[in-house]
Amino acid sequence: MLPLLGLCLALPFCAGSLEEAQSWGDTSEQVALRVPRQVRLLQRLKTKPLMTEFSVKSTIISRYAFTTVVCRMLNRGSEDQEITFQMQIPAAAFITNFTMLIGDKVYQGEITEKEKKNGDKVKEKRNKTTEDSGEKGTETFRASVVLPSKDKAAFLLSYEELLQRRLGKYEHVVSVRPQQLAGRLTVEVTVLESSGIAALEVLGLQNSRRQGSGRGQDDSGPPPSTVINQNETFAKVVFKPTVVQQAKIAQNGILGDFIIRYDVNREQSIGDIQVLNGYFVHYFAPKDLPPLPKNVVFVLDSSASMVGTKLRQTKDALFTILHDLRPQDRFNIIGFSNRVKVWKDHLVSVTPNNIRDGKVYIHHMSPTGGTDINGALQRGIRLLNDFVAHNDIEDRSVSLLVFLTDGKPTAGETHTLKILNNTREAAQGRVCIFTVGIGADVDFRLLEKLSLENCGLTRHVHEDHDARAQLIGFYDEIRTPLLSDIRVDYPPGLVEHATRTLFPNYFNGSEIIIAGKLVDREMDRLHVEVTASNSKKFVVLKKDVPVEPRRMGNDVPGSPRPKAGGQEDPNHLERLWSYLTLKELLSSWLQSVEGPEREQLRQEVQALAVNHRFLTPFTSMTLKSAPRTETPEDAYGTPAAMGPETVMQSLRGAHLQPGPALKEPYNPRIKVSKTSADGDPHFVVDFPLSNLTVCFNIDGQPGHILRLVSDHADSGVTVNGELIGAPAPPNGHKKQRTYFRTITILVNKPERSYLEITPTRVIVDGGNRLVLPCNQSAAVGSQGLEVSVSANAKVTVAIQGNVAFVILLHLYKKPAAYQRNHLGFYVANGQGLSGNCHGLLGQFLNQEARLTGLGKNPAHPSVPEAGERSEAVLEVKGHQVPVVWKQRKIYNGEEQVDCWFARNNAANLIDGGYKDYLAAHPFDSETTFGPGTSRGL
């Protein structure tokens, strides 16, 4: 077993999935606790864990992106539950930190050399998604833990990636798939580019990351609630949808990918060189050059497994690609199964007739036989080599082989190492191989090595998606070669540990990136020399680039701050250099064979990754308990651009500038008081200061709307209940029964919101109307109003943190003639209601009462003692009301309440009479009593 998180992470060539289970805590010590009977109902209501927050913050500095994901969850159920945090991240990214906060405990990740350990009971998986692989793919990070009842958890995940320029744009993708509607959802992306931002755009949410042709740009515009602020070098994009807006996009919480694309302003000569704290990065992306002629052979798998959609979409893509060939290009087509079939015995020029004949040849390809990958590659390379050798080509050209397959080698040479060796020996660096794997059964590891060893690229196309668009998009990246044989030189005595400086080709719309260290931090100029081949000439670019060494300071938003003790946090260029170096070392390791060189590469990767806190195939992350010296909100508030130390430093109390503290999310675990209106309807009023409970009945009429809580003028809260009728049970003293079928709540401060609750649905209208079914657990929140639905059990409404109501759902599978699905209304917290509050229940809130007329004055007069009179006089609000002791059941019959009952429809107990509590309509906020006199909405 590997240590926790010691998985194939961050690399597209890691195959399969790994899972680790480790023990966390001693479950043998768990003891079943006896709980009061009044909460037994709540204990039986097992609800899905609630996601109170899903936030993503990305800071992109000079194309290097720091991303931190924060997910907060709450176990609302009465039992411990397993909760799962899941996040799709780009396959090119490296995870740099993972931290869990379970209750008041902190478990932080530590990246070490991979070794076997026993640790905490937590499952960590990161699997490739079925959407994509390779640099354009995604991988899914998952963490599952058991969360105690009513407890909270927070997951913090950080990762980093260098954005690649493709088709003239950088693309930053954030997966917004919280798997449920989140109480607070935010995506915040900050872009800092010193050379200037050009053509920034925010795309509509995408359900998959397939790469289109790049020609039909997404014109749907940013998703709702997106705000973009931008100047010449800075841009901030915030996507903050309300729960209503989330539900309109996807009820299941899978909104899609939030995508930002942009480019930068750049010089046309030597490129852009940036220096910071002894590190440099060189971006080279020339344009407006004449394209190089290309010699291209398209090698298409026509084996039996390509039958159907795969072959049809591949043919359609090649039809389009053939039309894009330029007149100076040369091309040929190979179809292969267990036999290799060549269209022409040599490369041909691009003419209308040749394009037509090539399309006819492709059209007549039929799927049959096995897959001779080796034979097809050898034949294609030989065609290209023969053309270059036997033709006097005036212009310089590049030779490309585009190889498409959906399977593994099953015919001819099937041994992977021999195929790789044969291909490398045949190509000899003169032919670049670009591979495309189609579907789930392809040997993607083989295709990736073929491209890596032969100056090409690879892509994985999922057959369920639009394979045609993805294939055309891939070809568009390589359709316009501008330079070949590029070499970048720096003075050897001034630059050290530079990343790769030799590149076989440069394609229009891409970018060459080199990073390294400066030997002399105080140098003021750096000599740079670029040599390359263009269409008709040999290009040499030389320039002494002014170097302005600078240190990251507080003037750069989101910049790293000094650590405690004066030690500096790694800057973004150092992070970029280590990222790029790791990628190249891993690529070299992948291409190497078993032996000392391969082991040396592994050790170099391991040392660099541990030193810079990158999770790679050769490092692992274990979760360890840590002291909690800062709040999770402080950790959340620190800028993502601070790199992998962000969360850890905050938890250790390092001297960082604190971010904005977030308000603690609403916790639906509230103590429901006895004050309620439930059943027929039976009213119960609790006077906790007087240790008294009073109850009364209201014989209402079906269709009447009763004022339960009226505080419109002060707290802005009004609650009304509409009655429904039902026949009385046999042998009863009543002619009919009445129940609450609808509870309406009007909240007027700080923003006006309306709630309508029935046994089947909850309508929340705060400007945008949202309908929540009562048979599904959900939670929404906005402007101080929180609504939580526990499936088929209750609805909890919290207002401004100091007013809370619980509406019980009474549902019958097979109701009798006198039963109706109805609601019970309970006041959980009335502290935010004013002294002027009125209504059938509201008038008694925050009041005191006392009993007189008992045979003696017991210390606890709520229940008569043996031999004592069961009648008394209740004094409340200046009224004297005869009451009689009785018992009443509340909480759906779960608890029996001892109360003093006021007869005769609560005559003399309530202010006024029954008609004074009738509302004109469900959201009528007028009241006959107190200062609230405004009728209507």
Side-chain angles (χ1 to χ4, degrees):
M1 296 287 280
L2 298 174
L4 179 63
L5 281 175
L7 311 179
C8 288
L9 300 179
L11 290 178
F13 54 78
C14 293
S17 65
L18 297 173
E19 181 174 336
E20 182 67 19
Q22 301 179 336
S23 76
W24 183 18
D26 187 358
T27 56
S28 64
E29 295 183 3
Q30 294 180 353
V31 179
L33 301 178
R34 182 168 182 169
V35 296
R37 57 183 178 178
Q38 61 262 35
V39 298
R40 289 176 187 168
L41 171 64
L42 300 180
Q43 286 185 319
R44 293 205 308 266
L45 301 178
K46 183 174 182 179
T47 57
K48 181 180 178 181
L50 171 69
M51 185 175 294
T52 58
E53 177 184 352
F54 181 85
S55 301
V56 183
K57 282 190 176 182
S58 291
T59 301
I60 303 169
I61 308 178
S62 299
R63 292 76 143 174
Y64 194 74
F66 300 87
T67 301
T68 297
V69 185
V70 178
C71 176
R72 303 183 190 279
M73 301 187 75
L74 169 68
N75 180 5
R76 301 170 294 167
S78 58
E79 300 176 355
D80 296 354
Q81 294 191 58
E82 183 179 72
I83 62 172
T84 299
F85 163 64
Q86 177 173 305
M87 182 68 185
Q88 284 187 10
I89 69 173
F94 285 127
I95 289 176
T96 55
N97 181 58
F98 178 62
T99 300
M100 294 193 307
L101 300 97
I102 309 297
D104 60 353
K105 296 181 180 179
V106 178
Y107 299 88
Q108 64 187 36
E110 179 180 340
I111 294 179
T112 59
E113 296 182 1
K114 182 173 288 188
E115 57 183 347
K116 292 184 178 181
K117 284 186 179 180
N118 293 321
D120 298 334
K121 180 191 174 185
V122 61
K123 294 186 296 183
E124 300 287 354
K125 296 190 293 183
R126 184 170 172 190
N127 307 320
K128 293 198 181 220
T129 66
T130 57
E131 290 189 310
D132 273 314
S133 292
E135 292 295 301
K136 276 297 183 183
T138 64
E139 293 177 346
T140 301
F141 176 91
R142 292 185 181 90
S144 300
V145 296
V146 175
L147 183 62
S149 172
K150 311 303 180 185
D151 218 339
K152 295 179 291 185
F155 301 93
L156 299 94
L157 176 70
S158 298
Y159 60 89
E160 300 173 16
E161 64 170 325
L162 177 61
L163 303 185
Q164 299 296 314
R165 187 170 184 256
R166 293 189 173 97
L167 302 176
K169 291 288 182 70
Y170 303 100
E171 184 173 278
H172 181 62
V173 182
V174 174
S175 175
V176 187
R177 293 173 171 84
Q179 309 297 315
Q180 62 172 282
L181 300 179
R184 178 169 52 209
L185 190 151
T186 306
V187 178
E188 181 179 306
V189 180
T190 301
V191 182
L192 298 163
E193 294 288 352
S194 59
S195 56
I197 299 172
L200 184 140
E201 60 178 334
V202 180
L203 279 61
L205 292 169
Q206 307 290 311
N207 288 326
S208 70
R209 301 195 183 189
R210 63 180 183 270
Q211 294 299 303
S213 67
R215 305 169 188 188
Q217 296 294 328
D218 189 317
D219 58 358
S220 61
S225 80
T226 302
V227 178
I228 304 173
N229 293 307
Q230 180 182 357
N231 59 28
E232 184 179 349
T233 60
F234 170 85
K236 185 174 184 178
V237 181
V238 178
F239 173 53
K240 195 174 183 179
T242 65
V243 178
V244 175
Q245 291 168 326
Q246 294 175 49
K248 288 180 179 179
I249 298 171
Q251 287 281 355
N252 61 1
I254 303 178
L255 278 65
D257 291 320
F258 185 78
I259 302 175
I260 293 176
R261 288 179 182 162
Y262 73 95
D263 200 8
V264 300
N265 300 320
R266 52 174 48 87
E267 296 182 8
Q268 300 306 309
S269 57
I270 205 74
D272 177 25
I273 297 179
Q274 300 179 19
V275 178
L276 180 63
N277 293 348
Y279 289 84
F280 78 92
V281 62
H282 182 187
Y283 300 103
F284 181 62
K287 62 178 182 178
D288 298 328
L289 297 172
L292 283 166
K294 58 181 179 289
N295 316 310
V296 56
V297 174
F298 300 99
V299 183
L300 173 60
D301 186 347
S302 60
S303 62
S305 59
M306 286 286 289
V307 67
T309 303
K310 285 187 287 189
L311 186 58
R312 184 183 70 251
Q313 291 189 338
T314 302
K315 288 181 177 181
D316 290 343
L318 286 177
F319 293 159
T320 302
I321 289 170
L322 289 180
H323 279 291
D324 276 343
L325 294 173
R326 295 183 175 86
Q328 66 267 35
D329 294 339
R330 301 291 187 272
F331 76 104
N332 203 340
I333 302 165
I334 294 178
F336 75 96
S337 54
N338 55 326
R339 297 173 54 195
V340 179
K341 300 178 182 179
V342 181
W343 173 46
K344 302 286 187 180
D345 59 3
H346 60 278
L347 270 67
V348 299
S349 59
V350 177
T351 65
N353 287 340
N354 284 338
I355 295 298
R356 182 200 60 206
D357 293 346
K359 292 173 64 177
V360 170
Y361 178 78
I362 293 172
H363 175 74
H364 285 104
M365 284 186 181
S366 58
T368 182
T371 308
D372 185 1
I373 290 178
N374 182 74
L377 287 170
Q378 293 297 309
R379 189 71 180 94
I381 294 171
R382 189 158 56 248
L383 282 171
L384 289 166
N385 288 336
D386 289 347
F387 176 78
V388 174
H390 296 96
N391 288 272
D392 184 15
I393 305 174
E394 179 182 353
D395 294 342
R396 298 178 185 274
S397 62
V398 296
S399 296
L400 312 177
L401 189 148
V402 180
F403 184 85
L404 303 96
T405 183
D406 74 330
K408 303 176 178 64
T410 60
E413 179 59 67
T414 59
H415 193 273
T416 298
L417 286 179
K418 288 186 178 180
I419 294 174
L420 291 170
N421 290 334
N422 293 341
T423 304
R424 187 169 53 250
E425 291 175 3
Q428 294 184 354
R430 297 190 295 263
V431 176
C432 294
I433 300 176
F434 298 84
T435 59
V436 179
I438 305 172
D441 298 326
V442 69
D443 186 348
F444 190 73
R445 179 74 66 89
L446 171 61
L447 298 186
E448 187 171 43
K449 283 192 173 185
L450 284 169
S451 294
L452 282 174
E453 294 181 359
N454 298 280
C455 62
L457 300 171
T458 187
R459 291 289 182 271
H460 193 179
V461 174
H462 197 277
E463 59 187 291
D464 291 340
H465 298 154
D466 187 354
R468 176 185 178 276
Q470 295 178 78
L471 291 171
I472 294 174
F474 177 54
Y475 174 76
D476 280 349
E477 294 183 36
I478 62 174
R479 67 190 292 263
T480 310
L482 297 182
L483 296 173
S484 65
D485 303 320
I486 304 105
R487 178 188 180 100
V488 184
D489 288 309
Y490 310 97
L494 299 179
V495 171
E496 62 182 2
H497 302 299
T499 56
R500 184 163 64 115
T501 57
L502 298 175
F503 304 88
N505 298 300
Y506 166 73
F507 296 96
N508 188 40
S510 65
E511 185 173 57
I512 290 173
I513 304 176
I514 304 167
K517 296 181 181 181
L518 296 178
V519 175
D520 181 8
R521 289 193 176 197
E522 305 304 322
M523 63 186 298
D524 58 356
R525 305 187 75 81
L526 177 65
H527 180 75
V528 181
E529 185 172 318
V530 178
T531 59
S533 297
N534 186 233
S535 177
K536 296 180 181 294
K537 60 184 178 180
F538 192 70
V539 178
V540 179
L541 301 173
K542 296 181 180 182
K543 188 173 182 180
D544 287 333
V545 180
V547 174
E548 298 180 3
R550 55 189 181 88
R551 296 184 179 274
M552 183 71 75
N554 294 341
D555 58 325
V556 180
S559 64
R561 268 66 176 181
K563 297 181 183 178
Q567 185 183 3
E568 291 182 351
D569 197 44
N571 65 64
H572 70 279
L573 291 191
E574 181 180 352
R575 303 296 301 172
L576 188 157
W577 168 82
S578 58
Y579 172 97
L580 203 55
T581 302
L582 268 178
K583 285 290 183 181
E584 292 182 1
L585 287 172
L586 285 165
S587 177
S588 298
W589 176 85
L590 183 64
Q591 298 175 53
S592 64
V593 295
E594 294 294 338
E597 179 185 356
R598 187 178 179 90
E599 175 60 21
Q600 177 64 28
L601 287 169
R602 187 192 68 81
Q603 292 178 9
E604 290 182 28
V605 169
Q606 198 171 62
L608 185 62
V610 170
N611 187 43
H612 288 83
R613 294 184 54 81
F614 285 119
L615 197 54
T616 71
F618 306 125
T619 53
S620 61
M621 181 182 286
T622 55
L623 292 182
K624 295 185 177 181
S625 181
R628 182 169 181 170
T629 58
E630 295 283 346
T631 65
E633 285 75 13
D634 291 333
Y636 170 83
T638 53
M642 294 177 61
E645 299 285 346
T646 301
V647 176
M648 307 318 303
Q649 289 177 353
S650 296
L651 293 174
R652 292 170 182 159
H655 299 295
L656 304 174
Q657 288 192 354
L662 297 179
K663 181 182 176 183
E664 191 72 16
Y666 166 65
N667 186 346
R669 185 187 184 187
I670 57 178
K671 185 178 186 302
V672 181
S673 76
K674 301 174 186 177
T675 301
S676 59
D678 204 346
D680 190 10
H682 301 316
F683 289 76
V684 176
V685 178
D686 192 32
F687 296 95
L689 296 178
S690 307
N691 197 27
L692 281 174
T693 303
V694 176
C695 49
F696 58 91
N697 293 343
I698 294 293
D699 293 329
Q701 295 298 316
H704 282 183
I705 301 171
L706 304 184
R707 305 182 194 278
L708 301 178
V709 176
S710 300
D711 199 27
H712 179 78
D714 292 287
S715 67
V717 176
T718 300
V719 183
N720 298 325
E722 183 178 356
L723 297 173
I724 186 176
N731 304 319
H733 64 280
K734 290 185 176 182
K735 294 183 179 180
Q736 67 173 359
R737 283 185 163 189
T738 52
Y739 306 95
F740 287 117
R741 71 173 177 184
T742 305
I743 298 292
T744 53
I745 301 175
L746 169 64
V747 182
N748 200 41
K749 298 178 181 179
E751 300 290 339
R752 178 163 294 196
S753 300
Y754 306 89
L755 281 83
E756 179 180 297
I757 303 165
T758 71
T760 58
R761 69 180 184 180
V762 178
I763 300 176
V764 184
D765 194 340
N768 292 313
R769 191 169 184 267
L770 174 65
V771 180
L772 304 175
C774 288
N775 62 355
Q776 298 179 15
S777 295
V780 299
S782 177
Q783 299 293 333
L785 175 67
E786 303 278 350
V787 181
S788 173
V789 180
S790 297
N792 297 323
K794 66 176 180 177
V795 178
T796 304
V797 179
I799 304 166
Q800 297 300 317
N802 55 16
V803 176
F805 305 122
V806 174
I807 297 89
L808 292 188
L809 309 177
H810 298 286
L811 306 173
Y812 299 94
K813 291 183 179 179
K814 296 180 180 180
Y818 54 87
Q819 293 176 324
R820 296 288 186 271
N821 290 341
H822 64 281
L823 305 172
F825 176 75
Y826 290 78
V827 178
N829 183 1
Q831 293 180 358
L833 300 172
S834 73
N836 296 319
C837 183
H838 215 275
L840 287 169
L841 288 176
Q843 63 187 298
F844 301 109
L845 299 178
N846 304 319
Q847 301 289 333
E848 294 188 28
R850 72 187 188 96
L851 284 177
T852 62
L854 288 171
K856 53 184 177 179
N857 294 317
H860 301 285
S862 59
V863 180
E865 294 184 355
E868 194 175 35
R869 293 174 57 190
S870 61
E871 296 183 0
V873 175
L874 176 73
E875 292 185 1
V876 58
K877 297 176 59 180
H879 300 174
Q880 291 190 342
V881 185
V883 291
V884 61
W885 179 82
K886 68 181 306 181
Q887 292 181 320
R888 173 161 287 175
K889 289 186 177 182
I890 60 174
Y891 301 139
N892 204 15
E894 286 295 310
E895 181 179 358
Q896 185 169 278
V897 175
D898 300 317
C899 63
W900 292 94
F901 179 72
R903 302 185 182 96
N904 301 324
N905 242 19
N908 298 324
L909 175 64
I910 60 176
D911 295 332
Y914 173 76
K915 292 184 178 181
D916 294 320
Y917 295 91
L918 297 182
H921 55 79
F923 293 102
D924 183 6
S925 59
E926 180 189 5
T927 178
T928 307
F929 313 95
T933 57
S934 172
R935 175 179 290 275
L937 303 179

